[in-house]
Amino acid sequence: MSRARAARPAPAAPRTVLTVDIGGTHVKVLRSGLDPEQRRRFVSGPELTPAAMVRGVQALVDDWTFDAVSVGYPGPVLHGQPVHNPANLGPGWVGFDYARAFGCPLKLINDAAMQALGSYQGGSLLFLGLGTGLGTALIVDGVLEPMELAHLPYRKKTYEDYVGLRGLKRLGKKAWRREVGRVTALLMQALAPDEAVLGGGNAALLEGHLDHLPAGVRLGDNSNAFVGGFRLWADDLNARPRPHRQARPDRAATSAAEVPTRPARRRTVKAK
């Protein structure tokens, strides 16, 4: 007589998540349940390897406990692994075993996609991350798609050469703000999102200068990268969202518990 096999219960969501946001100038960390002001960071730069990143994070959070890790990676990610080494950091990022190095369950996603996930409030969203480079991601009715638009040709160079850190240093703040407005308008016209969010470390330079930006644009908060990291573990990986579109001013914020994802490149999020 054959014996029926009991159904295996779905794994429980981790109680505490450590989000690691890797940037070209700093690596920033925050644990779920803490205030964003309690985030910690250390300097990155062109010599930073993944092993050095892990050691730096572990030293920084030695007094924190956590069950899982989310990593925002500054480059393209496919099936949870970097596709190539980041332009602004050291070597060795492709093929590195991040989960083994941290010693716990881990999810790795493009850094702009992670901040987009934390900024999402429903409908369709274009995210532009203005930092050392230009990070881009699109969410349409809950489906998150990281993009690599930074190195597409724009004028005599690329988008990143005008609105990334190199452009800011070359053009100065005033001309850089105008370029951000032009690039944002151009990409919004092409992709037709309900709204666009400008995030990243240099988005703060646009505060008080929103006249250069098209309608339907809001400034993001860098703490949204941590929210996105927490949301990666927040719900059933196989859940799919219901299409949801509202007028921009009335769109309600999405709770972390309503944002499911999938492990592959295309990730699913859910709005109220």
Side-chain angles (χ1 to χ4, degrees):
M1 180 177 178
S2 62
R3 181 175 297 175
R5 179 177 296 178
R8 184 176 295 177
R15 289 170 296 178
T16 54
V17 176
L18 177 70
T19 294
V20 180
D21 185 16
I22 304 172
T25 55
H26 291 92
V27 175
K28 293 161 283 187
V29 299
L30 183 68
R31 195 193 69 179
S32 58
L34 298 179
D35 189 274
E37 295 302 317
Q38 294 177 271
R39 66 186 181 275
R40 299 173 182 177
R41 70 179 190 174
F42 64 91
V43 175
S44 57
E47 302 301 319
L48 186 73
T49 63
M53 179 274 294
V54 173
R55 290 194 300 269
V57 170
Q58 289 174 334
L60 206 60
V61 302
D62 185 56
D63 57 331
W64 288 355
T65 59
F66 48 89
D67 305 308
V69 175
S70 294
V71 176
Y73 177 77
V77 174
L78 184 62
H79 304 306
Q81 288 292 325
V83 175
H84 56 65
N85 290 321
N88 303 304
L89 301 177
W93 297 85
V94 177
F96 186 82
D97 193 336
Y98 296 89
R100 181 177 181 180
F102 277 103
C104 65
L106 181 142
K107 295 183 181 183
L108 187 142
I109 187 176
N110 171 265
D111 58 346
M114 190 165 74
Q115 192 167 349
L117 182 60
S119 305
Y120 184 59
Q121 297 179 352
S124 58
L125 167 73
L126 170 66
F127 177 83
L128 302 179
L130 306 171
T132 306
L134 172 65
T136 53
L138 185 69
I139 304 178
V140 179
D141 289 334
V143 178
L144 168 62
E145 184 63 39
M147 298 187 296
E148 292 294 323
L149 304 181
H151 301 114
L152 293 179
Y154 172 69
R155 300 180 67 175
K156 295 182 179 180
K157 298 189 177 185
T158 67
Y159 288 119
E160 184 171 279
D161 286 311
Y162 281 88
V163 301
L165 185 59
R166 290 191 301 274
L168 175 60
K169 291 180 175 179
R170 186 180 75 254
L171 299 171
K173 292 180 182 178
K174 187 174 181 180
W176 176 82
R177 291 184 185 112
R178 285 198 297 268
E179 288 298 338
V180 170
R182 290 170 183 152
V183 167
T184 303
L186 185 63
L187 294 178
M188 289 186 73
Q189 183 178 17
L191 299 170
D194 293 335
E195 64 173 347
V197 171
L198 303 184
N202 291 329
L205 299 176
L206 298 169
E207 293 180 4
H209 301 277
L210 302 183
D211 51 312
H212 294 300
L213 302 177
V217 176
R218 59 183 168 94
L219 298 185
D221 190 318
N222 280 339
S223 64
N224 286 339
F226 300 119
V227 175
F230 305 150
R231 285 180 169 181
L232 283 176
W233 297 90
D235 209 341
D236 179 6
L237 294 176
N238 297 314
R240 293 301 304 266
R242 294 188 302 272
H244 172 81
R245 292 179 183 271
Q246 287 183 320
R248 292 189 190 99
D250 299 325
R251 190 171 292 138
T254 305
S255 68
E258 295 175 89
V259 186
T261 64
R262 290 181 290 170
R265 177 180 171 88
R266 292 178 65 83
R267 298 183 180 271
T268 305
V269 294
K270 185 185 291 184
K272 278 186 177 179

